[in-house]
Amino acid sequence: MEKRMFRFFTVDDYEKEQEFLQDMTSKGWYLKDYKGFRYYFEKGEPNDYVYRIDYKEPLDDLDEYLSVFEDAGWEVVLQYPVFHGAWIYFRKPNYDENVEIFTNDESRLSLLKKIRTRWTTFGVSMCALLLLILLVNLLTSSLLITWLIPALCLTIILVLYGRAFIHLTRKIKHLEHG
């Protein structure tokens, strides 16, 4: 049996996504795939697994990277390509004493900075494009709808990516200052 669920997690809320996946497994639903905010699960026996998500970039040493995790007992559940890297989903039984993929604060800090840089660049690029579209539409059309849609999209992007930037920056500062 399969189950499909729509869930929206921003990049700064990857911990909540990990908790969601862990909760699903405790109910017997195992992550099978992910496509555009849709999670695909297959039914199994309820179990206590912990999920961890990492963003790997670049991917030129991916096989070596994955083998390190597999040697440590982590199962690679899926890889979701984004930009020049991939989100990689791992799971392992929760009874194992080592259920963290980051061995120290520096590696966690590196992940957070990488995520912040990539997604801020993307968000700023999208805002610039939408602003350009909005300005062109304001200058060339008198129809309200031609500038209302880009303005609405711009607002949504600013809120989502601004929120993510602020949350990631807070997490980074917390790790840097203990």
Side-chain angles (χ1 to χ4, degrees):
M1 182 178 354
E2 270 192 51
K3 182 180 213 170
R4 182 176 18 176
M5 295 181 76
F6 176 86
R7 287 286 191 273
F8 178 72
F9 295 99
T10 55
V11 294
D12 58 309
D13 284 335
Y14 68 92
E15 295 100 340
K16 288 180 183 176
E17 184 177 10
Q18 292 172 165
E19 291 170 12
F20 163 70
L21 296 172
Q22 186 171 345
D23 182 57
M24 291 301 291
T25 304
S26 72
K27 296 174 183 172
W29 292 103
Y30 291 81
L31 180 64
K32 179 180 174 184
D33 202 2
Y34 173 81
K35 294 177 184 167
F37 308 118
R38 287 184 318 270
Y39 293 83
Y40 296 85
F41 298 93
E42 51 188 14
K43 187 67 175 159
E45 290 296 317
N47 210 325
D48 190 14
Y49 277 93
V50 64
Y51 281 80
R52 293 295 180 255
I53 304 169
D54 194 12
Y55 180 72
K56 172 71 175 125
E57 178 189 68
L59 296 175
D60 53 350
D61 63 342
L62 183 62
D63 290 337
E64 181 182 327
Y65 167 84
L66 293 177
S67 70
V68 168
F69 283 93
E70 289 169 350
D71 290 345
W74 289 97
E75 175 187 355
V76 179
V77 178
L78 70 95
Q79 300 171 41
Y80 186 75
V82 178
F83 300 126
H84 301 290
W87 287 103
I88 302 176
Y89 291 69
F90 300 97
R91 78 173 157 227
K92 129 189 272 196
N94 200 15
Y95 57 80
D96 190 324
E97 67 227 24
N98 187 9
V99 293
E100 290 303 325
I101 60 173
F102 302 107
T103 56
N104 54 42
D105 285 347
E106 289 80 31
S107 58
R108 187 180 314 272
L109 195 57
S110 174
L111 170 68
L112 293 173
K113 286 180 177 180
K114 199 180 324 179
I115 294 170
R116 183 178 66 177
T117 299
R118 280 287 168 231
W119 289 94
T120 299
T121 302
F122 180 73
V124 168
S125 300
M126 290 300 298
C127 286
L129 178 64
L130 287 167
L131 191 57
L132 179 64
I133 292 169
L134 179 62
L135 290 173
V136 168
N137 287 342
L138 282 171
L139 295 173
T140 61
S141 177
S142 60
L143 294 174
L144 176 68
I145 195 75
T146 61
W147 62 268
L148 189 59
I149 292 173
L152 182 62
C153 290
L154 178 63
T155 302
I156 291 169
I157 295 290
L158 280 170
V159 168
L160 284 176
Y161 286 93
R163 176 189 170 275
F165 178 83
I166 290 167
H167 285 173
L168 288 167
T169 300
R170 283 182 185 154
K171 289 177 183 181
I172 289 168
K173 286 187 185 292
H174 178 74
L175 280 174
E176 287 176 335
H177 302 295

